[in-house]
Amino acid sequence: MSSFDEMDAFEGASLSARAMQARPMPYLDTLNPAQREAVECLDGPVLMLAGAGTGKTKALTTRIVHLLSTGRARPNEILSVTFTNKAAREMKERVAGMLGQAVEGMPWLGTFHSICVKLLRRHAELAGLKSNFTILDTDDQIRLLKQLIQAAGIDDKRWPARMLAGIIDDWKNRALTPDKVPAGDASAYNNRGTEFYALYQTRLRELNAVDFGDLLLHMVTIFQNHPDVLEQYQRWFRYIMVDEYQDTNVAQYLWLRLLAGKHKNVCCVGDDDQSIYGWRGAEVGNILRFEKDFPGAMVVRLEQNYRSTGHILAAAAGVIRGNQGRLGKELWTDAGDGEKVRLIGHWDGEEEARWIGEEIESMQRGTRGQAPLGLDQMAILVRASHQMRAFEDRFLTIGLPYRVIGGPRFYERLEIRDAMAYFRVVVSPDDDLAFERIVNTPKRGLGDKAQQTIQTIARENGVPLVEGARLAVESGQIKGKGGGALRQLVEGIARWGRLAGDADTTHMELAEIILDESGYTTMWQNDKNPDSPGRLENLKELVKALESFENLQGFLEHVSLVMDNDKQDADEKVSIMTLHAAKGLEFPAVFLPGWEDGLFPSQRSMDESGLKGLEEERRLAYVGITRAEQICTISFAGNRRVFGQWQSQLPSRFIDELPEEHVEVLTPPGLYGGGYGAAAPGGGMGAEQVRSTIDEKVAQADGYNSPGWKRMQARAGQRGLSQPKESKHQVIDLTATSSFTLGERVFHQKFGYGAITGIEGDKLEVEFEKAGTKKVVARFVSATDDVPF
DNA sequence: ATGATGCGAATTTTT
DNA sequence: TTCGCATCAT
């Protein structure tokens, strides 16, 4: 992204709307009736309910083209908002493709955040900022909060900064400035949440910085308090479009409503069934309420699916039907039924991974009686990232190439953040957070004490830390080895800063000079860790990435908002990712492992959010199934190692919600398949125990009462579960409430054998034979007496 | 000031 | 089990 000035919309656009007006509109002929309706209805509020794989992006981009072609709007008068940079890029490319020319003139197509940065730079003073404010990422945010917490003399172990950051983010998502935090939230963070929130905002202003949440919140506040500014944009943005509307939070919603308030030419696109970000502030309510918010809104449903087979769509529909309060949508296809969704149970997680590995190989060879699939046409979608390990382990041993999508982002990596902190200090020497990060990286012998000294001097003189450091060295307050190193660093920063203004040095050369002279590169070269070479690689890549920018400053701006990880290397690999990361993607073959109650749906989600949480999990299941084009394979394991302990698992309640006529139950060798829950031969947990476990779970998931659940409950008694094959020490309790008795002999992974001498809720006091008496959580011990089967 | 040891916690993630 | 962080020992 280029700097604000270059992208100023108010200087007009390169595309001539009028010139296009006379052209025919062949693009309309490629749309189906629903899409066409959504595209042609340009004025007034429109809600486009676009199911998975129904050509949403096509409709959206065509609508932009249509607005331009009919001369309704010039490119710079259309505001189109997305959530991710990827989506924005994709839209730009497609619009450009359809127009047959670059879209230089679409300056207001971007993410909520990037658009807000542009607006806020323009009106920074209204938020008490200078227009060159810096954008803090999560890491900076937490470090800053930590400082505030520690300064207030609070034990940040008991009251972690991370927790406070979460609370503040939540408030910002709900568009609450410190003065507007409701009384009901006053107990947050040990009753001091609001206080710290206000403190944090003040500190940010002092630093001339904002966090991600502020970008939205500041603009909402400015629009609310400065009607003249708002009106200006209401006039400029004659047409507004929003992608993934079901993911908007309150702040984004208000922002949109303010901007669309005058003309109401707003087209929101989304799918309530794919709302899976409630936990980070998204409000499904926004999309459900659309017709109330915008009376007379036109609602268009895109229901013809171009992605999946009939069986897959029907299976997904069967699951999502269990949710209440949907806007309602049923996907259909004229592409045929295809193969049924496949369901298979496994003994344990390792076997599941093994089986999927073999299945992938046979699909790759085409042994399954159909066209061979490339590895990049297959994906494994898991609920939680820790599930990935089993697959990685397995695939490494059999040498199956795989790629994990959505790991730590490139710019979040340690070495990249360090390098960027160096750049930041050089570009703006008053960036204290960046200086703190690099002052002792690489190790310069500047520990807590030295850094304290720098802080004090800087504060006393009212200067940035770099300047404080310089003073500390000059006045001899930091001497010796550390002092020398610090002097070098300070002088380096000054020198690099001068080089930045030097026309003879390119910013890429400068970046290399900074990393070399600071000793940062050397630090990794000397590091013996096996991942150090990779880090050096990343640094090289970082410098390479600078190429497309005019200077370091522009690059930093870009990186704070953009820069994704998905450098797709050309090699064919199986993708492994979370269900969340899979939204918007599609694959011919999809594996959905780990469909077990507690894992998926996640116990935590249900505990924390009850029915709401369960429904979001169900939407996640829906998203998962609808990623598949041809083959969708769902699986579960009867036993799983959790935190080093074996646990018995019950098949997910979602499995019971799959319509039987669209499912094929596979019977793997060695397992007897009867009904959905393929059970282990011989043994298995006694019916009584199964039922008691279920009862506890029902009690926990308070309020859960779906028919599928009842069916499973009824069936569970007959089903029987498998037992771990390796350990004879069966874990008999899966829940918080312990079922141990005093005097019982137990085994603990770390402490060995012992006898229970006390029970307090889920905590046990155990007298271990070797380790002495300890208090332990019931989860971590297992009964040694074999469970009577 | 820095490396070693130990304890507690462990969905989901974009910007 | 593994990770991150904090305290401890050098």
Side-chain angles (χ1 to χ4, degrees):
Chain A
M1 190 195 306
S2 26
S3 76
F4 176 67
D5 295 324
E6 289 165 301
M7 298 198 60
D8 196 336
F10 305 99
E11 284 166 13
S14 61
L15 291 171
S16 161
R18 206 152 303 138
M20 254 179 267
Q21 204 167 355
R23 283 192 207 169
M25 305 169 192
Y27 52 81
L28 290 178
D29 300 334
T30 68
L31 303 172
N32 67 36
Q35 290 171 331
R36 185 157 179 165
E37 193 178 6
V39 164
E40 291 196 293
C41 185
L42 296 176
D43 293 307
V46 176
L47 177 61
M48 200 195 298
L49 282 176
T54 54
K56 173 193 71 168
T57 311
K58 183 180 182 185
L60 206 48
T61 48
T62 309
R63 199 170 189 273
I64 293 177
V65 170
H66 195 50
L67 278 170
L68 297 173
S69 304
T70 54
R72 292 298 184 98
R74 288 178 294 167
N76 59 341
E77 293 171 334
I78 302 173
L79 173 66
S80 332
V81 214
T82 63
F83 269 86
T84 63
N85 294 298
K86 200 173 146 206
R89 206 182 316 127
E90 213 175 287
M91 274 179 66
K92 276 192 183 173
E93 279 164 12
R94 286 179 74 158
V95 171
M98 287 179 74
L99 290 173
Q101 61 185 295
V103 273
E104 297 295 319
M106 288 282 305
W108 300 107
L109 194 171
T111 64
F112 275 102
H113 295 268
S114 67
I115 288 170
C116 280
V117 171
K118 272 198 254 173
L119 294 173
L120 190 56
R121 292 238 185 264
R122 196 156 241 263
H123 302 284
E125 77 288 354
L126 298 180
L129 296 162
K130 288 183 281 172
S131 85
N132 64 347
F133 59 81
T134 49
I135 302 163
L136 304 189
D137 59 26
T138 319
D139 208 77
D140 297 322
Q141 187 189 12
I142 286 176
R143 278 190 303 140
L144 186 53
L145 284 170
K146 200 164 183 167
Q147 287 175 11
L148 296 176
I149 292 165
Q150 285 172 342
I154 286 184
D155 178 8
D156 68 323
K157 177 124 192 189
R158 256 199 85 184
W159 300 99
R162 191 165 283 287
M163 175 195 229
L164 182 56
I167 294 166
I168 291 176
D169 276 347
D170 190 53
W171 281 329
K172 289 186 177 177
N173 285 338
R174 288 155 58 197
L176 299 169
T177 45
D179 54 305
K180 292 213 190 91
V181 173
D185 286 9
S187 61
Y189 198 72
N190 199 19
N191 295 319
R192 299 183 70 178
T194 337
E195 175 194 336
F196 275 109
Y197 181 17
L199 212 57
Y200 172 64
Q201 291 308 102
T202 309
R203 189 78 189 103
L204 283 178
R205 210 158 284 145
E206 285 166 8
L207 289 165
N208 191 32
V210 298
D211 62 22
F212 287 124
D214 281 337
L215 293 173
L216 258 301
L217 183 52
H218 280 319
M219 281 320 299
V220 169
T221 312
I222 289 172
F223 285 156
Q224 283 170 339
N225 297 341
H226 301 272
D228 51 319
V229 176
L230 175 61
E231 271 172 44
Q232 178 192 346
Y233 291 105
Q234 285 175 333
R235 274 198 303 276
W236 267 108
F237 301 140
R238 302 182 52 205
Y239 290 89
I240 300 177
M241 276 186 258
V242 192
D243 195 12
E244 306 281 14
Y245 189 58
Q246 78 283 348
D247 287 337
T248 50
N249 61 33
V250 173
Q252 288 155 342
Y253 163 79
L254 288 175
W255 186 85
L256 284 167
R257 258 198 30 173
L258 286 162
L259 284 171
K262 264 260 164 56
H263 51 59
K264 306 208 167 56
N265 292 329
V266 58
C267 173
C268 293
V269 186
D271 180 357
D272 51 323
D273 291 335
Q274 292 189 67
S275 162
I276 55 174
Y277 286 108
W279 49 272
R280 75 180 191 209
E283 289 280 341
V284 217
N286 290 346
I287 193 167
L288 300 178
R289 249 192 3 256
F290 187 83
E291 290 177 85
K292 280 197 192 110
D293 288 333
F294 295 97
M298 158 119 179
V299 180
V300 185
R301 286 181 164 73
L302 304 192
E303 295 176 297
Q304 181 175 5
N305 176 288
Y306 298 99
R307 178 188 293 162
S308 313
T309 64
H311 279 309
I312 290 171
L313 292 180
V319 171
I320 199 65
R321 210 171 289 138
N323 274 7
Q324 303 290 311
R326 299 170 54 216
L327 288 170
K329 224 178 336 73
E330 196 106 336
L331 301 183
W332 59 277
T333 178
D334 54 16
D337 285 346
E339 222 176 303
K340 288 185 176 178
V341 168
R342 309 182 312 155
L343 176 67
I344 181 168
H346 298 282
W347 180 275
D348 62 18
E350 271 115 79
E351 194 193 290
E352 184 181 51
R354 202 177 317 128
W355 185 83
I356 289 180
E358 282 161 14
E359 198 65 10
I360 287 171
E361 288 179 329
S362 75
M363 285 185 185
Q364 189 184 15
R365 289 191 305 262
T367 346
R368 283 189 63 263
Q370 66 224 25
L373 291 174
L375 289 179
D376 51 2
Q377 296 181 292
M378 304 185 238
I380 299 168
L381 313 182
V382 298
R383 175 64 182 84
S385 44
H386 64 76
Q387 292 171 259
M388 293 177 180
R389 240 198 67 195
F391 295 98
E392 295 194 57
D393 285 352
R394 182 63 195 159
F395 294 172
L396 283 172
T397 53
I398 62 174
L400 184 68
Y402 69 89
R403 156 177 34 225
V404 170
I405 309 250
R409 332 230 131 250
F410 182 74
Y411 66 85
E412 272 168 12
R413 289 176 204 182
L414 183 75
E415 65 278 13
I416 300 303
R417 296 184 46 79
D418 285 341
M420 300 215 320
Y422 271 103
F423 300 162
R424 276 163 62 186
V425 173
V426 171
V427 169
S428 37
D430 59 347
D431 192 332
D432 287 355
L433 286 167
F435 181 78
E436 274 172 47
R437 184 178 181 100
I438 52 99
V439 64
N440 201 29
T441 309
K443 299 272 185 287
R444 294 191 172 88
L446 298 158
D448 279 353
K449 225 182 93 213
Q451 292 186 42
Q452 283 295 324
T453 313
I454 297 173
Q455 292 273 0
T456 313
I457 294 176
R459 203 165 315 135
E460 278 169 359
N461 294 282
V463 293
L465 290 182
V466 188
E467 182 60 11
R470 197 184 61 80
L471 292 171
V473 174
E474 296 216 329
S475 63
Q477 286 178 80
I478 296 178
K479 294 184 288 237
K481 194 166 140 258
L486 184 58
R487 174 187 295 276
Q488 262 201 316
L489 176 66
V490 173
E491 285 172 356
I493 291 171
R495 187 172 61 250
W496 303 323
R498 285 194 297 276
L499 277 177
D502 178 359
D504 291 341
T505 315
T506 69
H507 60 290
M508 292 171 70
E509 286 165 350
L510 174 61
E512 275 177 348
I513 290 172
I514 295 172
L515 295 180
D516 287 343
E517 291 187 357
S518 64
Y520 193 71
T521 317
T522 320
M523 177 181 102
W524 289 117
Q525 280 163 351
N526 296 338
D527 192 298
K528 297 215 174 22
N529 248 301
D531 52 347
S532 312
R535 294 183 191 275
L536 286 165
E537 264 317 293
N538 289 337
L539 288 172
K540 265 196 211 142
E541 224 171 287
L542 177 74
V543 175
K544 215 165 74 199
L546 289 169
E547 204 166 4
S548 44
F549 294 88
E550 297 215 338
N551 50 40
L552 279 184
Q553 180 119 50
F555 174 72
L556 290 170
E557 168 85 333
H558 172 82
V559 158
S560 58
L561 285 172
V562 191
M563 189 129 174
D564 343 70
N565 200 10
D566 26 84
K567 42 166 188 211
Q568 52 251 12
D569 52 291
D571 307 352
E572 263 198 17
K573 289 171 179 174
V574 178
S575 297
I576 306 176
M577 68 187 94
T578 63
L579 287 163
H580 283 91
K583 199 173 88 162
L585 304 179
E586 57 188 3
F587 300 89
V590 166
F591 291 89
L592 301 169
W595 280 42
E596 295 136 41
D597 245 53
L599 184 58
F600 186 44
S602 132
Q603 190 60 51
R604 191 148 163 194
S605 171
M606 293 186 292
D607 289 348
E608 282 172 10
S609 315
L611 187 66
K612 232 182 125 196
L614 178 69
E615 295 208 334
E616 183 154 312
E617 296 286 306
R618 189 176 281 114
R619 292 192 288 265
L620 215 36
Y622 176 79
V623 167
I625 297 171
T626 53
R627 295 311 97 194
E629 294 167 6
Q630 297 155 28
I631 310 170
C632 177
T633 311
I634 295 171
S635 60
F636 60 93
N639 300 284
R640 208 170 274 281
R641 246 181 127 100
V642 182
F643 303 149
Q645 295 278 336
W646 282 101
Q647 273 199 188
S648 295
Q649 300 286 114
L650 292 176
S652 170
R653 58 193 78 187
F654 298 150
I655 284 178
D656 277 337
E657 298 173 7
L658 295 167
E660 294 194 34
E661 61 274 30
H662 301 291
V663 174
E664 178 194 1
V665 179
L666 304 184
T667 309
L671 285 184
Y672 128 79
Y676 283 168
M685 196 187 252
E688 270 178 52
Q689 269 171 331
V690 171
R691 213 164 286 124
S692 77
T693 312
I694 287 174
D695 287 345
E696 285 170 38
K697 286 201 170 189
V698 168
Q700 280 181 355
D702 184 41
Y704 181 70
N705 211 14
S706 85
W709 175 242
K710 283 185 181 153
R711 254 188 297 135
M712 188 171 89
Q713 216 177 334
R715 200 183 293 157
Q718 309 137 28
R719 182 161 38 199
L721 289 165
S722 40
Q723 69 180 6
K725 55 182 167 190
E726 271 162 33
S727 161
K728 29 175 200 215
H729 308 300
Q730 169 79 50
V731 180
I732 59 167
D733 187 75
L734 317 176
T735 64
T737 325
S738 85
S739 58
F740 290 98
T741 49
L742 275 176
E744 193 176 341
R745 194 173 138 85
V746 292
F747 176 78
H748 186 280
Q749 190 83 3
K750 204 179 250 165
F751 304 134
Y753 291 91
I756 297 178
T757 55
I759 301 177
E760 274 175 56
D762 65 335
K763 299 224 170 56
L764 305 175
E765 189 180 73
V766 181
E767 200 178 306
F768 290 103
E769 287 163 7
K770 299 206 174 95
T773 305
K774 306 260 183 208
K775 285 228 167 132
V776 292
V777 180
R779 288 215 324 276
F780 288 105
V781 304
S782 49
T784 59
D785 305 278
D786 281 354
V787 182
F789 287 113

